[in-house]
Amino acid sequence: MNMAEGLIFDIKRYAIHDGPGIRTTVFFKGCPLSCWWCHNPEGQSFSPELMVWPDRCLKCRTCISACPNSAISISNSSIVTERGKCEVCGVCTAKCSANAREIVGKIVSAEEVMAEVEKDREFYGESGGLTASGGEPLAQPVFLHVLLNRCKETGIHTTVDTSGYMERKTLAKISSKVDLFLYDLKMMDPKKHKLHTGVSNKPIIENLKMLDKLGKQIIIRFPLIPSVNSTKANISTMCELVSGLRNIRRISVLPYRQLGVDKAKRLGKGVRIFAKPSDRMLDQSLRLIKSYGFAVNVGG
Ligand code: SF4
Ligand code: SF4
């Protein structure tokens, strides 16, 4: 990859939940976190991956003979892929007429991405524009910076949807090109955070304070997951932290929806399934957040 190239897994046009107005959302591939509840598990790995849809498969066996690594076989009338042998070459995906196999993730240039973003410029108005999401867009800081720069040069609003986990210096540099951060706060207890996401929440909290000091516009995103971060103590601690900052007035609550479960299975990854929050739990959480004076909404 050269400086102005990045690895992405999707571009979604006419997005209305990824920041203000109508947006084009670019999903960066690769994330330093490995959240147990991730709704975009195809965004975790920093490499392209093979995704398989068994329900679309016609059992024609074309992929078995096509695979140069003998990674595919049939067992109990099902097509089985040995992930350890698969080199993600894409030969089987090209041969499969049922679209039951797909390589997720491709390297794209900033020009290609901007061509997509520019297509909907007339719909953006004052508020809409580009949202960088993922995965973790800040994990590809050079590519992200190039895209944000191009947007700013051409007057397109920029939003970055982030876990906040990155080197402080790099974030500070990129922040000058970001109009709005959608900033995840998952849980306040450092040990629980490390257990459930694989990383410490210390740099995430320090980076949030830094962005606030810089006067950046920030909306907190709180994924509500029963038995993980739904306690009154966790939500109160989060609200107290954010109340101590100067510029943050809104918290978006994202109720866990099991959206990543099927995708993780198609990637051959282990899956953890949590209960969805009940209406009562969601209502109590929203009321608790509001009691701290925040504007609160569900989703987006
Ligand atoms: S080529 Fe596609 S449809 Fe045919 S067996 Fe393989 S996965 Fe199934
Ligand atoms: S991507 Fe390539 S190596 Fe992997 S299963 Fe398909 S043909 Fe085989």
Side-chain angles (χ1 to χ4, degrees), residues 178-196:
V178 181
D179 294 313
L180 170 67
F181 283 96
L182 304 177
Y183 201 101
D184 282 12
L185 280 182
K186 301 173 193 338
M187 64 195 76
M188 295 298 107
D189 181 90
K191 281 189 189 151
K192 277 191 98 178
H193 194 281
K194 173 97 177 150
L195 175 70
H196 287 93

